[in-house]
Amino acid sequence: MKVILKADIKGVGKKDEVIDASDGYARNFLFPKNLAVEANKENMEKLKARQNSAKFQKDQEREEALKIADKLSKIMVKIKVKAGENGKIFGGVSAKEIAQELEKEYKIKVDKKKIDLNETIKTLGMQTVEIKLFEGVIGKVKIDVRSE
């Protein structure tokens, strides 16, 4: 019997996947626990509509991420910090500070966890930082760290 899973089931399949299950397993376990529905014409059309909707949503998010990546490539974030005479920064510039500055100055909201910093920036000068905006979409922003 073909069924459409409504949830991820370990060893069986993922949500919205069409699988072949034995009649007994489907009737006695999957249907009573509301884990699956029969893969009839009506339910298959609903599944197709959900998948099309999810694909459209993902395409919209990707397009938005590409626009943000384009904006990021054209801007330079200036961050002022306290530094010693030899150009060494007291503390460092973290991903959180970069995200706050992007939002404050350019109204671009970026999650600090998406900013790809191996470690905090500890020197003055220009640096390029990558920001993961979406699957396969990476924006690059220039950071200018200056002494106060």
Side-chain angles (χ1 to χ4, degrees), residues 10-11 19 32 47 64 72 74 81 95 131:
K10 191 173 182 177
I19 63 161
L47 173 66
E64 188 67 31
L72 287 175
K74 296 175 183 171
V81 293
I131 301 174

Side-chain angles (χ1 to χ4, degrees), residues 24-90:
Y25 183 61
R27 284 195 189 102
N28 296 323
F29 182 74
L30 296 175
F31 296 158
K33 293 191 182 269
N34 206 19
L35 295 173
V37 292
E38 190 174 350
N40 58 23
K41 187 177 179 182
E42 180 184 341
N43 288 334
M44 289 299 284
E45 287 173 3
K46 287 180 185 175
L47 173 66
K48 188 85 166 162
R50 263 197 320 270
Q51 288 174 338
N52 287 342
S53 174
K55 185 182 182 313
F56 178 76
Q57 181 77 23
K58 201 169 191 176
D59 289 345
Q60 292 289 92
E61 289 174 11
R62 182 179 189 80
E63 225 171 90
E64 188 67 31
L66 287 169
K67 287 179 186 173
I68 292 172
D70 187 46
K71 278 184 190 175
L72 287 175
S73 67
K74 296 175 183 171
I75 63 175
M76 182 188 314
V77 178
K78 295 179 179 113
I79 298 178
K80 292 190 176 188
V81 293
K82 290 186 179 182
E85 292 175 20
N86 57 356
K88 200 90 160 135
I89 295 174
F90 300 128

